[in-house]
Amino acid sequence: MTRSASPLLPLGQTILDQAAALARFSDMEGGLTCAYLTPAHRAAQAQLAAWMEAAGMQVRIDAIGNVIGRYAADPAVGDGARVLMTGSHFDTVRNGGRYDGRLGILLPVAVVGALNAAGIRLPYHFEVVGFAEEEGLRFKTSFLASSVLAGRFDPALLDRADADGVTLREALAASGLPGAGGVDALRAAAVDPASLHGFVEVHIEQGPVLLHHGLPLGVVTQIAGSSRFQVRVEGLASHAGTTPMTLRKDAAAAAAEMVLLVEQRCGQVPTLVGTVGQLQVPNGSSNVIPAECVFSMDIRAGEDSIREAAIADIVAGIQAIAERRGLGAAIERVTPVNNAPCARWLMDQFGAVLKKRGLDAFELPSGAGHDAMMMQRMTDVAMLFVRCGNGGISHNPLETITTDDAQLAAEVFVDFLRHFQPRA
Ligand code: GLV
Ligand code: MN
Ligand code: MN
């Protein structure tokens, strides 16, 4: 591996320090939770805006809360300059890691700061987006922020309520964000695809592949499609001590069978995965047979047809379990997002930079969802993955990267930006 001394760097330590500083804005004590539009989320948003400004960018905050910093093109390019966009999300899962999403904001902002300090301008506008919401934690609305930017915002989402009954409409109206949640403002925040060269995203891999191959970086080929559901099983509450086992309509026992069905069906195909990450017996008591059980289902696969076939089988299987047990089951599809292929011409430019440094231009698919998926609906996208430590664990406080890998990723990103060639 050739580690050329760059005049712009080191940035690796800055990136890790800023990720640690940003992680202090949290909805919980002793861990990192940053849900959409909470006080911690607003503080993180303000911090990102401040860092972007300090790096030499003009900053705007849009109607959904995205923080967008622009490093203006070299004035010699004139008015016709288009935008190369990058970015990732700054919201987190509950008790998540500090690099998921945030690395893809902090790294390019640090790179811009270094370019600016060295007096280097680019022949295009370079924009870094801190996407306000990707994880779906508060309103079960994943990709909310990128859907607004990509012109795909669904106004029906405004009626979604959080766990306290606050709707997205109410949260936006109280937020002080431009447009106060009005549909027109949310629609107007969309970017004109004709103004873009494309969208690239740096992200921690969130898995063990690069770690196992002994590689610091990888180029993503495609992002697996995903479908999320909310399942409500309706049984009958009755006395835990007097109701014979044969006469029960136990919603939790039925849900347990359904969870095992998800595990069994998704275990049949290597690229297919299925997860029940939330499972509740609302208003349950230890001495009452559960009348209701609610659970989430997240089903993903590299190929849409594999995912859809699994969903069809699982939905039919859930109905069959409910029927056999004499219960009801209502299945609501929350967010379907199709597989998003990365653009070969952008992947090759990352590959060329890696090879020039004596690194493997290793390619791998992404099983995790990313803002690039939604951006791919409007423009060409590519992703650079950075090796994840601790066995590749993510969506967990143990998620980590090394300073060296952050440094190398920043150097590769600088090379990519400086050699970037628009699509012919
Ligand atoms: C986002 O982190 C997802 O893949 O769920
Ligand atoms: Mn995530
Ligand atoms: Mn992420």
Side-chain angles (χ1 to χ4, degrees):
M1 174 170 79
T2 321
R3 296 291 301 274
S4 71
S6 164
L8 302 173
L9 305 162
L11 299 176
Q13 193 58 52
T14 306
I15 293 164
L16 265 65
D17 289 348
Q18 290 188 334
L22 205 60
R24 287 190 204 110
F25 302 117
S26 176
D27 302 328
M28 68 184 283
E29 293 283 332
L32 173 57
T33 301
C34 188
Y36 182 54
L37 294 184
T38 61
H41 184 269
R42 301 311 299 272
Q45 180 193 51
Q47 178 62 81
L48 287 171
W51 282 332
M52 286 176 177
E53 264 167 26
M57 309 178 98
Q58 294 134 24
V59 181
R60 64 186 194 273
I61 293 187
D62 74 8
I64 201 74
N66 294 322
V67 193
I68 306 173
R70 168 174 286 206
Y71 188 52
D74 187 334
V77 177
D79 290 342
R82 279 193 283 163
V83 177
L84 178 65
M85 197 175 258
T86 191
S88 194
H89 59 98
F90 62 94
D91 69 322
T92 72
V93 294
R94 187 170 286 114
N95 199 18
R98 64 176 64 158
Y99 302 105
D100 177 4
R102 287 138 177 243
L103 178 66
I105 310 166
L106 299 174
L107 185 147
V109 171
V111 161
V112 167
L115 291 173
N116 191 35
I120 298 169
R121 312 300 304 187
L122 299 166
Y124 49 83
H125 298 305
F126 178 55
E127 286 192 348
V128 183
V129 185
F131 288 100
E133 203 279 351
E134 187 261 5
E135 299 284 11
L137 176 59
R138 182 168 173 194
F139 291 104
K140 295 186 172 49
T141 50
S142 48
F143 306 107
L144 182 61
S146 47
S147 77
V148 167
L149 219 61
R152 295 190 157 246
F153 175 70
D154 174 4
L157 295 179
L158 290 166
D159 293 320
R160 287 254 170 103
D162 68 7
D164 297 324
V166 178
T167 63
L168 175 58
R169 179 181 283 102
E170 289 164 345
L172 282 168
S175 68
L177 289 170
V183 174
D184 289 350
L186 290 162
R187 291 221 165 103
V191 167
D192 175 7
S195 70
L196 293 177
H197 284 303
F199 178 86
V200 294
E201 181 171 356
V202 179
H203 206 285
I204 184 168
E205 183 207 326
Q206 304 185 273
V209 176
L210 293 172
L211 192 63
H212 284 172
H213 283 80
L215 297 170
L217 302 171
V219 180
V220 175
T221 52
Q222 61 156 355
I223 310 164
S226 65
S227 297
R228 290 188 196 171
F229 300 84
Q230 188 84 0
V231 183
R232 183 173 299 278
V233 185
E234 301 219 1
L236 184 67
S238 60
H239 199 290
T242 59
T243 315
M245 295 306 285
T246 49
L247 295 181
R248 295 175 177 221
K249 293 187 177 179
D250 184 331
E257 205 180 328
M258 294 165 187
V259 173
L260 292 176
L261 166 71
V262 172
E263 184 186 51
Q264 181 270 333
R265 177 61 179 81
C266 293
Q268 289 174 5
V269 185
T271 61
L272 181 65
V273 287
T275 305
V276 174
Q278 293 171 318
L279 179 67
Q280 284 120 19
V281 178
N283 306 313
S285 303
S286 60
N287 58 352
V288 180
I289 294 163
E292 192 181 7
C293 189
V294 182
F295 64 92
S296 63
M297 276 194 319
D298 177 313
I299 298 171
R300 310 186 190 205
E303 275 178 53
D304 292 335
S305 58
I306 291 177
R307 177 171 46 94
E308 290 298 345
I311 288 169
D313 287 352
I314 289 167
V315 167
I318 286 175
Q319 297 299 359
I321 292 167
E323 224 162 89
R324 173 162 45 76
R325 289 172 168 268
L327 305 110
I331 305 174
E332 184 195 354
R333 192 181 265 240
V334 181
T335 46
V337 188
N338 282 348
N339 173 287
C342 292
R344 178 46 69 186
W345 69 275
L346 282 168
M347 290 169 58
D348 283 348
Q349 293 192 37
F350 274 120
V353 168
L354 289 168
K355 281 189 204 144
K356 227 172 170 179
R357 288 184 162 264
L359 296 162
D360 252 359
F362 183 78
E363 296 186 352
L364 71 169
S366 173
H370 298 292
D371 297 293
M373 289 180 99
M374 194 54 76
M375 296 306 287
Q376 191 266 346
R377 310 301 186 234
M378 72 171 334
T379 191
D380 285 349
V381 304
M383 291 191 71
L384 182 70
F385 268 178
V386 181
R387 171 166 51 192
C388 196
N390 275 342
I393 198 162
S394 183
H395 282 183
N396 185 308
L398 292 175
E399 176 191 273
T400 189
I401 61 171
T402 65
T403 314
D404 281 355
D405 285 355
Q407 170 71 21
L408 190 60
E411 292 180 24
V412 163
F413 204 67
V414 168
D415 290 353
F416 172 81
L417 294 180
R418 297 195 70 187
H419 295 107
F420 175 72
Q421 291 295 322
R423 189 175 197 172

